[in-house]
Amino acid sequence: MIGAKCGFCESTIGTKIVTIEPTQSQFKMNAICCKSCNAILSVTNFFDTSAQLKKIGEKLGIRF
């Protein structure tokens, strides 16, 4: 099977997800990066599930 190739270093090692905080931004993002050269290949929204559940629990009167 042929794997995906990084467009920057042409490595086929794979990717990793790294949480980033862009300069002058109020929000974190998830960057999908090459494992070999660390180039950012894509960016997705950051979802902090535990923080969201805590907020919902507080609204419902549940303490964690």
Side-chain angles (χ1 to χ4, degrees), residues 5 8 10 13 20 22 26 30 32 35 39-40 42 47-49 51-53 55 57:
K5 188 172 14 173
F8 296 94
E10 299 188 2
I13 291 176
I20 59 173
Q26 297 178 4
N30 281 330
I32 301 169
K35 281 186 179 179
I40 296 176
S42 180
F47 298 105
D48 187 357
T49 307
Q52 294 298 323
L53 288 173
K55 285 181 185 178

Side-chain angles (χ1 to χ4, degrees), residues 15-22 28-35 38-47:
T15 58
K16 61 184 176 181
I17 296 179
V18 179
T19 302
I20 59 173
E21 295 183 46
K28 294 180 182 180
M29 303 289 288
N30 281 330
I32 301 169
C33 301
C34 173
K35 281 186 179 179
N38 293 319
I40 296 176
L41 307 174
S42 180
V43 178
T44 62
N45 291 329
F46 177 80
F47 298 105

